[in-house]
Amino acid sequence: QVQLQESGPGLVKPSGTLSLTCDVSGYSITSDNWWTWIRQPPGKGLEWIGEIYRSGSTHYHPSLRGRVAISMDKFKNQFSLTLNSVTAADTALYYCARPIFGDNSWYFDLWGRGTLVIVSS
Amino acid sequence: SYELTQDPAVSVALGQTVRITCQGVNLRNYYATWYQQKPGQAPILVMYGRNTRPSGIPDRFSGSDSGGTPSLTITGAQAEDEADYYCSTRDSSNNSPRAVFGGGTRLTVL
């Protein structure tokens, strides 16, 4: 059974760096897949952050470019999110997910349970 | 840039049919996908492709793209269908593709 599990500090100071990891079990992250981070501010909708492919190729949300980086550790079978210069607007529930292309659509078939990150001093 | 628009809230009487729409999807590229999110839970995929339900999703859920507007229909809504529903697609219109989500529709089952 494939599972994704986010982990990382739940509290980050303003102007600090948010760092999260997604552990993938039951599936190799070096398979032919992208791996994604998505966030959801409290009481609001879903926002795609970015994605990484097994080659290391990445795509990021235009509004976060310059502050965000996604990387992967093939040996630990995990991928990570780093977000710099955080503000209260970055307070959100952060999810990792697996996007799949099929039937002419891109969809997220697997999600982690999410981890809440609060930006506060 | 790409924006997907959903009605913020919709209600349906128990056992009746409700349709949730998603404006802004360019169906020339990809079909919309739909997610259900209940309070305190991660989203789950309920529809993708032309009209494909993942395993475990009841057949009262169906998808369509009538008139170029994707929609998710629940035929015979149940109390457990009360949730937030998000549509999504992929924007590949420039050199930096990305996923896009609608703002979500809160479904209330009366």
Side-chain angles (χ1 to χ4, degrees):
Chain A
Q1 183 180 2
V2 185
Q3 291 186 323
L4 283 66
Q5 178 67 59
E6 306 88 349
S7 62
L11 181 65
V12 181
K13 294 188 185 312
S15 76
T17 297
L18 180 158
S19 296
L20 298 175
T21 296
C22 180
D23 286 296
V24 180
S25 58
Y27 192 86
S28 173
I29 65 168
T30 60
S31 299
D32 187 15
N33 280 106
W34 290 85
W35 300 94
T36 296
W37 287 97
I38 294 163
R39 69 180 181 179
Q40 185 172 34
K44 295 187 178 181
L46 301 168
E47 179 184 39
W48 180 85
I49 297 171
E51 61 188 8
I52 187 167
Y53 189 60
R54 61 180 178 179
S55 63
S57 179
T58 54
H59 300 128
Y60 300 121
H61 195 289
S63 70
L64 298 174
R65 208 167 288 145
R67 289 203 298 136
V68 64
I70 298 175
S71 60
M72 63 170 38
D73 187 326
K74 299 174 183 178
F75 299 103
K76 294 183 178 179
N77 211 46
Q78 61 186 203
F79 61 104
S80 299
L81 170 69
T82 301
L83 186 63
N84 300 317
S85 304
V86 297
T87 69
D90 296 310
T91 292
L93 193 56
Y94 284 77
Y95 295 100
C96 56
R98 183 179 74 175
I100 296 287
F101 179 72
D103 196 4
N104 202 34
S105 63
W106 282 89
Y107 55 94
F108 302 100
D109 69 332
L110 291 173
W111 296 69
R113 298 178 68 175
T115 187
L116 179 63
V117 178
I118 296 172
V119 178
S120 174
S121 55
Chain B
S1 66
Y2 224 113
E3 288 192 10
L4 303 182
T5 303
Q6 299 180 240
D7 291 329
V10 171
S11 62
V12 61
L14 184 68
Q16 296 303 301
T17 297
V18 62
R19 190 173 73 167
I20 301 170
T21 60
C22 180
Q23 303 278 351
V25 175
N26 185 347
L27 294 177
R28 290 177 298 175
N29 293 330
Y30 306 110
Y31 289 112
T33 59
W34 293 91
Y35 302 90
Q36 176 194 71
Q37 186 180 35
K38 297 181 179 180
Q41 298 182 19
I44 63 168
L45 178 70
V46 295
M47 191 65 57
Y48 67 95
R50 182 182 291 274
N51 183 16
T52 304
R53 283 176 288 107
S55 174
I57 301 302
D59 61 6
R60 61 179 179 270
F61 288 85
S62 63
S64 68
D65 56 8
S66 176
T69 299
S71 62
L72 177 71
T73 299
I74 306 174
T75 304
Q78 302 299 303
E80 60 264 31
D81 300 333
E82 187 163 287
D84 293 329
Y85 291 85
Y86 294 92
C87 63
S88 177
T89 191
R90 190 167 179 91
D91 177 9
S92 297
S93 59
N94 55 37
N95 290 330
S96 187
R98 64 186 178 103
V100 183
F101 290 96
T105 297
R106 176 151 296 179
L107 176 66
T108 300
V109 180
L110 304 172

PDB file of all heavy atoms in Angstrom, chain B residues 2-7 19-27 31-34 64-72 85-89 100-105:
ATOM      1  N   TYR B   2      -4.263  30.998 -15.641  1.00  0.00           N
ATOM      2  CA  TYR B   2      -5.403  30.119 -15.592  1.00  0.00           C
ATOM      3  C   TYR B   2      -6.146  30.298 -14.279  1.00  0.00           C
ATOM      4  O   TYR B   2      -5.535  30.277 -13.220  1.00  0.00           O
ATOM      5  CB  TYR B   2      -4.884  28.693 -15.637  1.00  0.00           C
ATOM      6  CG  TYR B   2      -5.618  27.773 -16.538  1.00  0.00           C
ATOM      7  CD1 TYR B   2      -5.015  27.263 -17.672  1.00  0.00           C
ATOM      8  CD2 TYR B   2      -6.908  27.363 -16.240  1.00  0.00           C
ATOM      9  CE1 TYR B   2      -5.673  26.385 -18.489  1.00  0.00           C
ATOM     10  CE2 TYR B   2      -7.572  26.482 -17.056  1.00  0.00           C
ATOM     11  CZ  TYR B   2      -6.963  25.990 -18.183  1.00  0.00           C
ATOM     12  OH  TYR B   2      -7.614  25.104 -18.992  1.00  0.00           O
ATOM     13  N   GLU B   3      -7.452  30.487 -14.320  1.00  0.00           N
ATOM     14  CA  GLU B   3      -8.247  30.529 -13.103  1.00  0.00           C
ATOM     15  C   GLU B   3      -9.478  29.668 -13.288  1.00  0.00           C
ATOM     16  O   GLU B   3     -10.105  29.681 -14.345  1.00  0.00           O
ATOM     17  CB  GLU B   3      -8.662  31.971 -12.777  1.00  0.00           C
ATOM     18  CG  GLU B   3      -7.525  32.837 -12.273  1.00  0.00           C
ATOM     19  CD  GLU B   3      -8.006  34.151 -11.695  1.00  0.00           C
ATOM     20  OE1 GLU B   3      -9.229  34.306 -11.513  1.00  0.00           O
ATOM     21  OE2 GLU B   3      -7.157  35.021 -11.432  1.00  0.00           O
ATOM     22  N   LEU B   4      -9.808  28.926 -12.247  1.00  0.00           N
ATOM     23  CA  LEU B   4     -10.990  28.084 -12.250  1.00  0.00           C
ATOM     24  C   LEU B   4     -11.987  28.642 -11.247  1.00  0.00           C
ATOM     25  O   LEU B   4     -11.618  28.936 -10.108  1.00  0.00           O
ATOM     26  CB  LEU B   4     -10.628  26.646 -11.883  1.00  0.00           C
ATOM     27  CG  LEU B   4      -9.575  25.969 -12.766  1.00  0.00           C
ATOM     28  CD1 LEU B   4      -9.356  24.529 -12.328  1.00  0.00           C
ATOM     29  CD2 LEU B   4      -9.970  26.024 -14.229  1.00  0.00           C
ATOM     30  N   THR B   5     -13.225  28.781 -11.665  1.00  0.00           N
ATOM     31  CA  THR B   5     -14.244  29.398 -10.821  1.00  0.00           C
ATOM     32  C   THR B   5     -15.337  28.394 -10.479  1.00  0.00           C
ATOM     33  O   THR B   5     -15.889  27.738 -11.360  1.00  0.00           O
ATOM     34  CB  THR B   5     -14.868  30.613 -11.534  1.00  0.00           C
ATOM     35  OG1 THR B   5     -13.827  31.539 -11.870  1.00  0.00           O
ATOM     36  CG2 THR B   5     -15.879  31.302 -10.634  1.00  0.00           C
ATOM     37  N   GLN B   6     -15.617  28.300  -9.195  1.00  0.00           N
ATOM     38  CA  GLN B   6     -16.700  27.448  -8.714  1.00  0.00           C
ATOM     39  C   GLN B   6     -17.661  28.266  -7.864  1.00  0.00           C
ATOM     40  O   GLN B   6     -17.260  29.251  -7.229  1.00  0.00           O
ATOM     41  CB  GLN B   6     -16.146  26.311  -7.834  1.00  0.00           C
ATOM     42  CG  GLN B   6     -15.185  25.387  -8.514  1.00  0.00           C
ATOM     43  CD  GLN B   6     -14.696  24.305  -7.556  1.00  0.00           C
ATOM     44  OE1 GLN B   6     -13.509  24.191  -7.290  1.00  0.00           O
ATOM     45  NE2 GLN B   6     -15.631  23.495  -7.052  1.00  0.00           N
ATOM     46  N   ASP B   7     -18.926  27.856  -7.843  1.00  0.00           N
ATOM     47  CA  ASP B   7     -19.869  28.465  -6.921  1.00  0.00           C
ATOM     48  C   ASP B   7     -19.401  28.164  -5.494  1.00  0.00           C
ATOM     49  O   ASP B   7     -19.071  27.026  -5.177  1.00  0.00           O
ATOM     50  CB  ASP B   7     -21.276  27.881  -7.118  1.00  0.00           C
ATOM     51  CG  ASP B   7     -21.886  28.305  -8.442  1.00  0.00           C
ATOM     52  OD1 ASP B   7     -21.570  29.421  -8.908  1.00  0.00           O
ATOM     53  OD2 ASP B   7     -22.663  27.524  -9.014  1.00  0.00           O
ATOM     54  N   ARG B  19     -25.593  19.372  -9.186  1.00  0.00           N
ATOM     55  CA  ARG B  19     -24.479  19.500 -10.119  1.00  0.00           C
ATOM     56  C   ARG B  19     -23.573  20.638  -9.682  1.00  0.00           C
ATOM     57  O   ARG B  19     -24.058  21.751  -9.419  1.00  0.00           O
ATOM     58  CB  ARG B  19     -24.980  19.737 -11.542  1.00  0.00           C
ATOM     59  CG  ARG B  19     -23.882  19.646 -12.583  1.00  0.00           C
ATOM     60  CD  ARG B  19     -24.430  19.712 -13.985  1.00  0.00           C
ATOM     61  NE  ARG B  19     -24.878  21.051 -14.339  1.00  0.00           N
ATOM     62  CZ  ARG B  19     -25.167  21.436 -15.571  1.00  0.00           C
ATOM     63  NH1 ARG B  19     -25.087  20.566 -16.564  1.00  0.00           N
ATOM     64  NH2 ARG B  19     -25.577  22.649 -15.807  1.00  0.00           N
ATOM     65  N   ILE B  20     -22.301  20.359  -9.627  1.00  0.00           N
ATOM     66  CA  ILE B  20     -21.289  21.350  -9.248  1.00  0.00           C
ATOM     67  C   ILE B  20     -20.442  21.632 -10.477  1.00  0.00           C
ATOM     68  O   ILE B  20     -19.922  20.702 -11.106  1.00  0.00           O
ATOM     69  CB  ILE B  20     -20.409  20.818  -8.102  1.00  0.00           C
ATOM     70  CG1 ILE B  20     -21.278  20.498  -6.883  1.00  0.00           C
ATOM     71  CG2 ILE B  20     -19.321  21.824  -7.745  1.00  0.00           C
ATOM     72  CD1 ILE B  20     -20.538  19.732  -5.792  1.00  0.00           C
ATOM     73  N   THR B  21     -20.326  22.902 -10.830  1.00  0.00           N
ATOM     74  CA  THR B  21     -19.638  23.248 -12.063  1.00  0.00           C
ATOM     75  C   THR B  21     -18.291  23.925 -11.808  1.00  0.00           C
ATOM     76  O   THR B  21     -18.017  24.425 -10.706  1.00  0.00           O
ATOM     77  CB  THR B  21     -20.494  24.168 -12.937  1.00  0.00           C
ATOM     78  OG1 THR B  21     -20.781  25.369 -12.204  1.00  0.00           O
ATOM     79  CG2 THR B  21     -21.792  23.493 -13.328  1.00  0.00           C
ATOM     80  N   CYS B  22     -17.497  23.962 -12.875  1.00  0.00           N
ATOM     81  CA  CYS B  22     -16.139  24.509 -12.808  1.00  0.00           C
ATOM     82  C   CYS B  22     -15.892  25.308 -14.077  1.00  0.00           C
ATOM     83  O   CYS B  22     -15.701  24.738 -15.147  1.00  0.00           O
ATOM     84  CB  CYS B  22     -15.148  23.362 -12.669  1.00  0.00           C
ATOM     85  SG  CYS B  22     -13.421  23.838 -12.565  1.00  0.00           S
ATOM     86  N   GLN B  23     -15.913  26.612 -13.938  1.00  0.00           N
ATOM     87  CA  GLN B  23     -15.708  27.473 -15.090  1.00  0.00           C
ATOM     88  C   GLN B  23     -14.228  27.755 -15.300  1.00  0.00           C
ATOM     89  O   GLN B  23     -13.477  27.922 -14.350  1.00  0.00           O
ATOM     90  CB  GLN B  23     -16.426  28.817 -14.873  1.00  0.00           C
ATOM     91  CG  GLN B  23     -17.908  28.708 -14.611  1.00  0.00           C
ATOM     92  CD  GLN B  23     -18.718  28.556 -15.872  1.00  0.00           C
ATOM     93  OE1 GLN B  23     -18.184  28.702 -16.964  1.00  0.00           O
ATOM     94  NE2 GLN B  23     -20.005  28.261 -15.731  1.00  0.00           N
ATOM     95  N   GLY B  24     -13.820  27.808 -16.558  1.00  0.00           N
ATOM     96  CA  GLY B  24     -12.459  28.231 -16.853  1.00  0.00           C
ATOM     97  C   GLY B  24     -11.536  27.135 -17.323  1.00  0.00           C
ATOM     98  O   GLY B  24     -10.397  27.393 -17.682  1.00  0.00           O
ATOM     99  N   VAL B  25     -12.015  25.904 -17.343  1.00  0.00           N
ATOM    100  CA  VAL B  25     -11.164  24.795 -17.765  1.00  0.00           C
ATOM    101  C   VAL B  25     -11.094  24.753 -19.279  1.00  0.00           C
ATOM    102  O   VAL B  25     -12.113  24.747 -19.947  1.00  0.00           O
ATOM    103  CB  VAL B  25     -11.696  23.448 -17.232  1.00  0.00           C
ATOM    104  CG1 VAL B  25     -10.876  22.291 -17.788  1.00  0.00           C
ATOM    105  CG2 VAL B  25     -11.659  23.442 -15.726  1.00  0.00           C
ATOM    106  N   ASN B  26      -9.880  24.701 -19.789  1.00  0.00           N
ATOM    107  CA  ASN B  26      -9.686  24.595 -21.224  1.00  0.00           C
ATOM    108  C   ASN B  26      -9.651  23.125 -21.601  1.00  0.00           C
ATOM    109  O   ASN B  26      -8.625  22.455 -21.463  1.00  0.00           O
ATOM    110  CB  ASN B  26      -8.382  25.276 -21.631  1.00  0.00           C
ATOM    111  CG  ASN B  26      -8.194  25.298 -23.127  1.00  0.00           C
ATOM    112  OD1 ASN B  26      -8.891  24.611 -23.864  1.00  0.00           O
ATOM    113  ND2 ASN B  26      -7.238  26.081 -23.592  1.00  0.00           N
ATOM    114  N   LEU B  27     -10.787  22.617 -22.051  1.00  0.00           N
ATOM    115  CA  LEU B  27     -10.902  21.190 -22.308  1.00  0.00           C
ATOM    116  C   LEU B  27     -10.118  20.740 -23.532  1.00  0.00           C
ATOM    117  O   LEU B  27     -10.031  19.546 -23.801  1.00  0.00           O
ATOM    118  CB  LEU B  27     -12.371  20.803 -22.443  1.00  0.00           C
ATOM    119  CG  LEU B  27     -13.198  20.950 -21.175  1.00  0.00           C
ATOM    120  CD1 LEU B  27     -14.653  20.606 -21.445  1.00  0.00           C
ATOM    121  CD2 LEU B  27     -12.651  20.067 -20.056  1.00  0.00           C
ATOM    122  N   TYR B  31      -8.929  17.157 -19.263  1.00  0.00           N
ATOM    123  CA  TYR B  31     -10.184  17.105 -18.524  1.00  0.00           C
ATOM    124  C   TYR B  31      -9.964  17.601 -17.097  1.00  0.00           C
ATOM    125  O   TYR B  31      -8.862  17.523 -16.549  1.00  0.00           O
ATOM    126  CB  TYR B  31     -10.724  15.680 -18.469  1.00  0.00           C
ATOM    127  CG  TYR B  31     -11.245  15.170 -19.781  1.00  0.00           C
ATOM    128  CD1 TYR B  31     -10.589  14.151 -20.466  1.00  0.00           C
ATOM    129  CD2 TYR B  31     -12.418  15.682 -20.338  1.00  0.00           C
ATOM    130  CE1 TYR B  31     -11.071  13.665 -21.674  1.00  0.00           C
ATOM    131  CE2 TYR B  31     -12.901  15.204 -21.543  1.00  0.00           C
ATOM    132  CZ  TYR B  31     -12.221  14.201 -22.207  1.00  0.00           C
ATOM    133  OH  TYR B  31     -12.704  13.725 -23.393  1.00  0.00           O
ATOM    134  N   ALA B  32     -11.046  18.081 -16.535  1.00  0.00           N
ATOM    135  CA  ALA B  32     -10.991  18.481 -15.133  1.00  0.00           C
ATOM    136  C   ALA B  32     -10.984  17.247 -14.237  1.00  0.00           C
ATOM    137  O   ALA B  32     -11.429  16.165 -14.631  1.00  0.00           O
ATOM    138  CB  ALA B  32     -12.190  19.354 -14.783  1.00  0.00           C
ATOM    139  N   THR B  33     -10.470  17.423 -13.023  1.00  0.00           N
ATOM    140  CA  THR B  33     -10.553  16.380 -12.011  1.00  0.00           C
ATOM    141  C   THR B  33     -11.247  16.968 -10.792  1.00  0.00           C
ATOM    142  O   THR B  33     -11.290  18.192 -10.622  1.00  0.00           O
ATOM    143  CB  THR B  33      -9.164  15.860 -11.627  1.00  0.00           C
ATOM    144  OG1 THR B  33      -8.375  16.947 -11.119  1.00  0.00           O
ATOM    145  CG2 THR B  33      -8.456  15.278 -12.832  1.00  0.00           C
ATOM    146  N   TRP B  34     -11.820  16.100  -9.990  1.00  0.00           N
ATOM    147  CA  TRP B  34     -12.636  16.545  -8.865  1.00  0.00           C
ATOM    148  C   TRP B  34     -12.205  15.854  -7.570  1.00  0.00           C
ATOM    149  O   TRP B  34     -11.914  14.662  -7.563  1.00  0.00           O
ATOM    150  CB  TRP B  34     -14.111  16.240  -9.126  1.00  0.00           C
ATOM    151  CG  TRP B  34     -14.697  17.037 -10.241  1.00  0.00           C
ATOM    152  CD1 TRP B  34     -14.754  16.703 -11.561  1.00  0.00           C
ATOM    153  CD2 TRP B  34     -15.317  18.329 -10.134  1.00  0.00           C
ATOM    154  NE1 TRP B  34     -15.367  17.702 -12.279  1.00  0.00           N
ATOM    155  CE2 TRP B  34     -15.721  18.704 -11.422  1.00  0.00           C
ATOM    156  CE3 TRP B  34     -15.573  19.187  -9.063  1.00  0.00           C
ATOM    157  CZ2 TRP B  34     -16.368  19.917 -11.679  1.00  0.00           C
ATOM    158  CZ3 TRP B  34     -16.215  20.383  -9.311  1.00  0.00           C
ATOM    159  CH2 TRP B  34     -16.603  20.738 -10.608  1.00  0.00           C
ATOM    160  N   SER B  64     -19.104  15.258 -16.267  1.00  0.00           N
ATOM    161  CA  SER B  64     -19.413  15.587 -17.651  1.00  0.00           C
ATOM    162  C   SER B  64     -18.777  16.908 -18.014  1.00  0.00           C
ATOM    163  O   SER B  64     -18.247  17.620 -17.148  1.00  0.00           O
ATOM    164  CB  SER B  64     -20.934  15.659 -17.868  1.00  0.00           C
ATOM    165  OG  SER B  64     -21.475  16.770 -17.179  1.00  0.00           O
ATOM    166  N   ASP B  65     -18.817  17.231 -19.284  1.00  0.00           N
ATOM    167  CA  ASP B  65     -18.286  18.514 -19.764  1.00  0.00           C
ATOM    168  C   ASP B  65     -19.257  19.131 -20.754  1.00  0.00           C
ATOM    169  O   ASP B  65     -18.867  19.570 -21.824  1.00  0.00           O
ATOM    170  CB  ASP B  65     -16.906  18.339 -20.373  1.00  0.00           C
ATOM    171  CG  ASP B  65     -16.883  17.319 -21.495  1.00  0.00           C
ATOM    172  OD1 ASP B  65     -17.965  16.860 -21.908  1.00  0.00           O
ATOM    173  OD2 ASP B  65     -15.786  16.981 -21.981  1.00  0.00           O
ATOM    174  N   SER B  66     -20.487  19.178 -20.347  1.00  0.00           N
ATOM    175  CA  SER B  66     -21.535  19.717 -21.203  1.00  0.00           C
ATOM    176  C   SER B  66     -21.289  21.177 -21.548  1.00  0.00           C
ATOM    177  O   SER B  66     -21.055  21.999 -20.660  1.00  0.00           O
ATOM    178  CB  SER B  66     -22.895  19.555 -20.506  1.00  0.00           C
ATOM    179  OG  SER B  66     -23.918  20.143 -21.271  1.00  0.00           O
ATOM    180  N   GLY B  67     -21.299  21.493 -22.823  1.00  0.00           N
ATOM    181  CA  GLY B  67     -21.104  22.869 -23.249  1.00  0.00           C
ATOM    182  C   GLY B  67     -19.729  23.412 -22.935  1.00  0.00           C
ATOM    183  O   GLY B  67     -19.530  24.631 -22.882  1.00  0.00           O
ATOM    184  N   GLY B  68     -18.795  22.524 -22.703  1.00  0.00           N
ATOM    185  CA  GLY B  68     -17.436  22.957 -22.417  1.00  0.00           C
ATOM    186  C   GLY B  68     -17.180  23.319 -20.981  1.00  0.00           C
ATOM    187  O   GLY B  68     -16.080  23.748 -20.634  1.00  0.00           O
ATOM    188  N   THR B  69     -18.173  23.157 -20.107  1.00  0.00           N
ATOM    189  CA  THR B  69     -18.004  23.435 -18.679  1.00  0.00           C
ATOM    190  C   THR B  69     -18.029  22.126 -17.901  1.00  0.00           C
ATOM    191  O   THR B  69     -19.064  21.464 -17.845  1.00  0.00           O
ATOM    192  CB  THR B  69     -19.113  24.362 -18.160  1.00  0.00           C
ATOM    193  OG1 THR B  69     -19.054  25.606 -18.865  1.00  0.00           O
ATOM    194  CG2 THR B  69     -18.958  24.613 -16.675  1.00  0.00           C
ATOM    195  N   PRO B  70     -16.945  21.757 -17.293  1.00  0.00           N
ATOM    196  CA  PRO B  70     -16.924  20.521 -16.510  1.00  0.00           C
ATOM    197  C   PRO B  70     -17.856  20.603 -15.307  1.00  0.00           C
ATOM    198  O   PRO B  70     -18.003  21.671 -14.697  1.00  0.00           O
ATOM    199  CB  PRO B  70     -15.473  20.424 -16.028  1.00  0.00           C
ATOM    200  CG  PRO B  70     -14.701  21.310 -16.935  1.00  0.00           C
ATOM    201  CD  PRO B  70     -15.637  22.397 -17.332  1.00  0.00           C
ATOM    202  N   SER B  71     -18.471  19.486 -15.011  1.00  0.00           N
ATOM    203  CA  SER B  71     -19.333  19.456 -13.841  1.00  0.00           C
ATOM    204  C   SER B  71     -19.257  18.094 -13.176  1.00  0.00           C
ATOM    205  O   SER B  71     -18.948  17.089 -13.817  1.00  0.00           O
ATOM    206  CB  SER B  71     -20.782  19.778 -14.213  1.00  0.00           C
ATOM    207  OG  SER B  71     -21.292  18.824 -15.112  1.00  0.00           O
ATOM    208  N   LEU B  72     -19.526  18.108 -11.906  1.00  0.00           N
ATOM    209  CA  LEU B  72     -19.616  16.896 -11.096  1.00  0.00           C
ATOM    210  C   LEU B  72     -21.065  16.783 -10.652  1.00  0.00           C
ATOM    211  O   LEU B  72     -21.601  17.734 -10.071  1.00  0.00           O
ATOM    212  CB  LEU B  72     -18.695  16.984  -9.888  1.00  0.00           C
ATOM    213  CG  LEU B  72     -18.728  15.816  -8.913  1.00  0.00           C
ATOM    214  CD1 LEU B  72     -18.074  14.591  -9.542  1.00  0.00           C
ATOM    215  CD2 LEU B  72     -18.036  16.177  -7.603  1.00  0.00           C
ATOM    216  N   TYR B  85     -15.950  20.502  -2.395  1.00  0.00           N
ATOM    217  CA  TYR B  85     -15.544  19.876  -3.650  1.00  0.00           C
ATOM    218  C   TYR B  85     -14.692  20.849  -4.456  1.00  0.00           C
ATOM    219  O   TYR B  85     -15.060  22.013  -4.643  1.00  0.00           O
ATOM    220  CB  TYR B  85     -16.773  19.451  -4.463  1.00  0.00           C
ATOM    221  CG  TYR B  85     -17.514  18.298  -3.827  1.00  0.00           C
ATOM    222  CD1 TYR B  85     -18.465  18.523  -2.832  1.00  0.00           C
ATOM    223  CD2 TYR B  85     -17.229  16.982  -4.183  1.00  0.00           C
ATOM    224  CE1 TYR B  85     -19.114  17.475  -2.215  1.00  0.00           C
ATOM    225  CE2 TYR B  85     -17.876  15.920  -3.571  1.00  0.00           C
ATOM    226  CZ  TYR B  85     -18.819  16.172  -2.592  1.00  0.00           C
ATOM    227  OH  TYR B  85     -19.450  15.114  -1.979  1.00  0.00           O
ATOM    228  N   TYR B  86     -13.558  20.356  -4.921  1.00  0.00           N
ATOM    229  CA  TYR B  86     -12.620  21.175  -5.689  1.00  0.00           C
ATOM    230  C   TYR B  86     -12.421  20.584  -7.074  1.00  0.00           C
ATOM    231  O   TYR B  86     -12.226  19.373  -7.209  1.00  0.00           O
ATOM    232  CB  TYR B  86     -11.261  21.244  -4.996  1.00  0.00           C
ATOM    233  CG  TYR B  86     -11.279  21.956  -3.674  1.00  0.00           C
ATOM    234  CD1 TYR B  86     -11.483  21.257  -2.487  1.00  0.00           C
ATOM    235  CD2 TYR B  86     -11.080  23.338  -3.598  1.00  0.00           C
ATOM    236  CE1 TYR B  86     -11.509  21.917  -1.261  1.00  0.00           C
ATOM    237  CE2 TYR B  86     -11.101  24.000  -2.380  1.00  0.00           C
ATOM    238  CZ  TYR B  86     -11.319  23.277  -1.222  1.00  0.00           C
ATOM    239  OH  TYR B  86     -11.332  23.936  -0.015  1.00  0.00           O
ATOM    240  N   CYS B  87     -12.447  21.450  -8.079  1.00  0.00           N
ATOM    241  CA  CYS B  87     -12.053  21.004  -9.402  1.00  0.00           C
ATOM    242  C   CYS B  87     -10.596  21.402  -9.623  1.00  0.00           C
ATOM    243  O   CYS B  87     -10.061  22.283  -8.944  1.00  0.00           O
ATOM    244  CB  CYS B  87     -12.936  21.616 -10.487  1.00  0.00           C
ATOM    245  SG  CYS B  87     -12.862  23.412 -10.639  1.00  0.00           S
ATOM    246  N   SER B  88      -9.977  20.738 -10.567  1.00  0.00           N
ATOM    247  CA  SER B  88      -8.564  21.001 -10.837  1.00  0.00           C
ATOM    248  C   SER B  88      -8.248  20.607 -12.264  1.00  0.00           C
ATOM    249  O   SER B  88      -8.912  19.755 -12.856  1.00  0.00           O
ATOM    250  CB  SER B  88      -7.688  20.209  -9.866  1.00  0.00           C
ATOM    251  OG  SER B  88      -6.316  20.391 -10.143  1.00  0.00           O
ATOM    252  N   THR B  89      -7.235  21.211 -12.798  1.00  0.00           N
ATOM    253  CA  THR B  89      -6.701  20.797 -14.080  1.00  0.00           C
ATOM    254  C   THR B  89      -5.247  21.220 -14.143  1.00  0.00           C
ATOM    255  O   THR B  89      -4.687  21.713 -13.163  1.00  0.00           O
ATOM    256  CB  THR B  89      -7.513  21.396 -15.246  1.00  0.00           C
ATOM    257  OG1 THR B  89      -7.101  20.763 -16.473  1.00  0.00           O
ATOM    258  CG2 THR B  89      -7.297  22.903 -15.368  1.00  0.00           C
ATOM    259  N   VAL B 100      -3.804  23.708 -11.260  1.00  0.00           N
ATOM    260  CA  VAL B 100      -4.668  24.813 -10.852  1.00  0.00           C
ATOM    261  C   VAL B 100      -5.906  24.223 -10.175  1.00  0.00           C
ATOM    262  O   VAL B 100      -6.463  23.225 -10.639  1.00  0.00           O
ATOM    263  CB  VAL B 100      -5.105  25.659 -12.065  1.00  0.00           C
ATOM    264  CG1 VAL B 100      -5.935  26.838 -11.610  1.00  0.00           C
ATOM    265  CG2 VAL B 100      -3.887  26.124 -12.852  1.00  0.00           C
ATOM    266  N   PHE B 101      -6.326  24.853  -9.084  1.00  0.00           N
ATOM    267  CA  PHE B 101      -7.528  24.433  -8.375  1.00  0.00           C
ATOM    268  C   PHE B 101      -8.580  25.526  -8.426  1.00  0.00           C
ATOM    269  O   PHE B 101      -8.254  26.719  -8.395  1.00  0.00           O
ATOM    270  CB  PHE B 101      -7.219  24.144  -6.900  1.00  0.00           C
ATOM    271  CG  PHE B 101      -6.392  22.911  -6.670  1.00  0.00           C
ATOM    272  CD1 PHE B 101      -5.012  22.998  -6.509  1.00  0.00           C
ATOM    273  CD2 PHE B 101      -6.990  21.657  -6.595  1.00  0.00           C
ATOM    274  CE1 PHE B 101      -4.252  21.873  -6.296  1.00  0.00           C
ATOM    275  CE2 PHE B 101      -6.243  20.517  -6.379  1.00  0.00           C
ATOM    276  CZ  PHE B 101      -4.871  20.628  -6.233  1.00  0.00           C
ATOM    277  N   GLY B 102      -9.842  25.105  -8.467  1.00  0.00           N
ATOM    278  CA  GLY B 102     -10.923  26.042  -8.256  1.00  0.00           C
ATOM    279  C   GLY B 102     -11.002  26.405  -6.780  1.00  0.00           C
ATOM    280  O   GLY B 102     -10.361  25.783  -5.940  1.00  0.00           O
ATOM    281  N   GLY B 103     -11.795  27.426  -6.482  1.00  0.00           N
ATOM    282  CA  GLY B 103     -11.896  27.890  -5.110  1.00  0.00           C
ATOM    283  C   GLY B 103     -12.681  26.979  -4.191  1.00  0.00           C
ATOM    284  O   GLY B 103     -12.681  27.161  -2.972  1.00  0.00           O
ATOM    285  N   GLY B 104     -13.342  25.986  -4.771  1.00  0.00           N
ATOM    286  CA  GLY B 104     -14.086  25.025  -3.972  1.00  0.00           C
ATOM    287  C   GLY B 104     -15.557  25.361  -3.853  1.00  0.00           C
ATOM    288  O   GLY B 104     -15.947  26.536  -3.873  1.00  0.00           O
ATOM    289  N   THR B 105     -16.379  24.324  -3.757  1.00  0.00           N
ATOM    290  CA  THR B 105     -17.821  24.459  -3.552  1.00  0.00           C
ATOM    291  C   THR B 105     -18.197  23.685  -2.300  1.00  0.00           C
ATOM    292  O   THR B 105     -17.915  22.493  -2.199  1.00  0.00           O
ATOM    293  CB  THR B 105     -18.609  23.904  -4.751  1.00  0.00           C
ATOM    294  OG1 THR B 105     -18.312  24.660  -5.917  1.00  0.00           O
ATOM    295  CG2 THR B 105     -20.107  23.945  -4.469  1.00  0.00           C
TER     296      THR B 105
END
